[in-house]
Amino acid sequence: MEERRRGSGWIGWVIFLLFFLGPSILPPLSRWLSQLTGQPIGTSDLFILLIVSVIVFSIGSRIFAVLRNVSERTNRSELPEMKDLSRDSSTPGERYPMPIPPPEEIFRTPPPPPEPPRLPASSTQLPSPPRFEPIIDPRILAFGILGLIFIGLGCGVLFLILKP
């Protein structure tokens, strides 16, 4: 169930790059395509066309991968039958029965499970519990809070004096 899909995160990166780089790349591209085709092509039309084509390509590649996996599974399932057919040419498709173990093996008692680990005796001293140190040093945090208070007071005083 926790099988991670490989190769499916690239569509998000492509769309992100289109949003990020689109304003600088799409206008010259749309002008070039308009000159090439003779039809007016806007940047928004080109943007929508690129996103739809990326999504269609992603869906198509996923369908192709699923079909390839299905064909590999069917090829794998045919291989054992082909080996069974090559064993005995007089009876094609007949399978050989598995050997039956002797009764001693079937009814034998399993070995006892290993003993669980024991806790140390009370005379043995356990290590102290871990101590967690804060991520931010309290002195730095206090200095930052005091700085914010002074900046806020200074801005308030300036706001009262200047009265915009």
Side-chain angles (χ1 to χ4, degrees), residues 100-117:
I100 299 173
E104 296 84 26
E105 283 291 318
I106 294 174
F107 297 112
R108 120 182 124 83
T109 58
E115 290 188 28

Side-chain angles (χ1 to χ4, degrees), residues 2 10-11 13 17 20 23 28 31 41 50 66 71 77-78 81 86 88 101 103 112 114 120 125 132 135 139 160 163:
E2 293 186 23
W10 65 271
I11 188 169
W13 284 105
L17 288 175
F20 188 68
R31 280 189 298 250
I41 298 174
L50 286 174
V66 167
S71 69
S77 65
E78 291 174 4
E81 293 175 4
S86 65
D88 187 13
Q125 185 156 355
F132 298 103
I135 296 174
R139 293 173 289 177
L160 289 175
K163 289 186 183 180

